[in-house]
Amino acid sequence: KILRISLENTAIIPDEFKRFSCATEEKPDVVVISDCATEEYCCYGIRYLSDGDKKIKNVFFSQKDRGQMLYSKTDDYSRLHLQLDSNCTNAVLSELLVVGFYSHISLQKALLLHASAVYYKKKAVIFTAASGVGKTTQAELWQKHRDATIMNGDKVFLTKESEKIVAWGSPWNGSSPYAQNIGAEVAAIVVLEQAEENNVRKLSGMELLEKLASHVFIPGWDSR
């Protein structure tokens, strides 16, 4: 399923998002509105927003700039509100949007994997690893030597459709320049490590869980 985000009253839109723009009359899955809350107060170090008599609990602050925030008035995170000031950068806006978007799609059994992915022979091959190990480098080797298309260099969304796992490119690409609007069935997930010699083997059992699970973003702010 392709999810549609509507950005309303948003003065700044990251360039990566413009690559994913489309004209459609269909109702968006997630609506993002840039506005201001009516009141703000602090309680035991946790900041809440008030919408009249109703407290808004789902509030996210940027780690890069604590003055910028995003909050949701709906339990399914389908209506997100941005509260930004003139200092907000594209990087901060992108950071807030991925938290809100992932909150929404997590409820639809989707995962966000810290990984790069290539589109090769109509399927996706994913490379996951800690930062700096070589995810993007590996993807670029496939692009150079196998004519593969790099879907994303940093974040890959995974969904289950029937018996297939499908990988999706997204506008959120970290420090890499690669962000393509492509979806494809996953052929393999490769956990990269650096070594003196090249070697590949199949992971299983607890080793698989240990090496893969640490690269999945867990939305711990929502117990569901």
Side-chain angles (χ1 to χ4, degrees):
K1 179 183 179 183
I2 296 176
L3 292 179
R4 295 173 176 84
I5 307 175
S6 173
L7 300 176
E8 301 181 4
N9 306 327
T10 305
I12 55 175
I13 298 178
D15 290 337
E16 290 80 9
F17 280 77
K18 297 176 183 177
R19 305 178 197 171
F20 287 73
S21 63
C22 65
T24 178
E25 298 298 323
E26 295 186 44
K27 181 181 178 181
D29 298 278
V30 179
V31 176
V32 182
I33 300 171
S34 181
D35 62 3
C36 291
T38 56
E39 181 184 354
E40 182 181 341
Y41 60 95
C42 184
C43 178
Y44 299 105
I46 302 174
R47 300 171 73 186
Y48 291 92
L49 300 179
S50 175
D51 180 25
D53 296 328
K54 181 181 179 182
K55 294 179 182 179
I56 305 172
K57 299 179 181 179
N58 301 319
V59 184
F60 306 102
F61 295 91
S62 168
Q63 295 298 312
K64 299 180 178 70
D65 183 348
R66 299 289 291 178
Q68 320 299 336
M69 70 178 74
L70 176 145
Y71 61 96
S72 175
K73 292 184 178 180
T74 57
D75 288 336
D76 66 350
Y77 306 93
S78 61
R79 195 165 183 85
L80 304 172
H81 294 255
L82 289 164
Q83 185 168 320
L84 312 171
D85 60 30
S86 58
N87 296 320
C88 184
T89 63
N90 279 353
V92 168
L93 176 60
S94 181
E95 175 199 12
L96 289 171
L97 289 176
V98 73
V99 172
F101 181 69
Y102 189 35
S103 298
H104 176 75
I105 67 169
S106 291
L107 300 177
Q108 303 180 38
K109 311 302 182 189
L111 288 179
L112 175 54
L113 190 63
H114 181 217
S116 65
V118 298
Y119 181 73
Y120 178 68
K121 293 185 177 180
K122 298 183 178 181
K123 290 193 176 183
V125 180
I126 297 172
F127 307 103
T128 186
S131 297
V133 170
K135 298 185 301 296
T136 301
T137 300
Q138 185 66 219
E140 289 174 337
L141 288 171
W142 280 61
Q143 180 185 57
K144 178 179 179 180
H145 297 289
R146 292 292 183 266
D147 198 29
T149 299
I150 300 177
M151 299 169 61
N152 194 288
D154 188 67
K155 293 181 178 64
V156 180
F157 290 93
L158 301 177
T159 59
K160 186 176 181 181
E161 300 182 12
S162 297
E163 297 303 313
K164 299 178 181 178
I165 302 298
V166 179
W168 300 92
S170 77
W172 295 285
N173 55 344
S175 59
S176 84
Y178 306 107
Q180 296 293 329
N181 195 3
I182 300 174
E185 180 184 355
V186 175
I189 298 177
V190 181
V191 180
L192 298 175
E193 294 180 348
Q194 294 180 341
E196 294 295 328
E197 297 180 355
N198 293 328
N199 178 53
V200 60
R201 61 186 177 85
K202 188 174 182 178
L203 301 176
S204 62
M206 290 303 297
E207 185 184 30
L208 173 62
L209 180 63
E210 175 190 357
K211 292 184 179 295
L212 183 60
S214 61
H215 303 299
V216 177
F217 289 94
I218 304 298
W221 51 86
D222 192 316
S223 61
R224 289 173 292 179

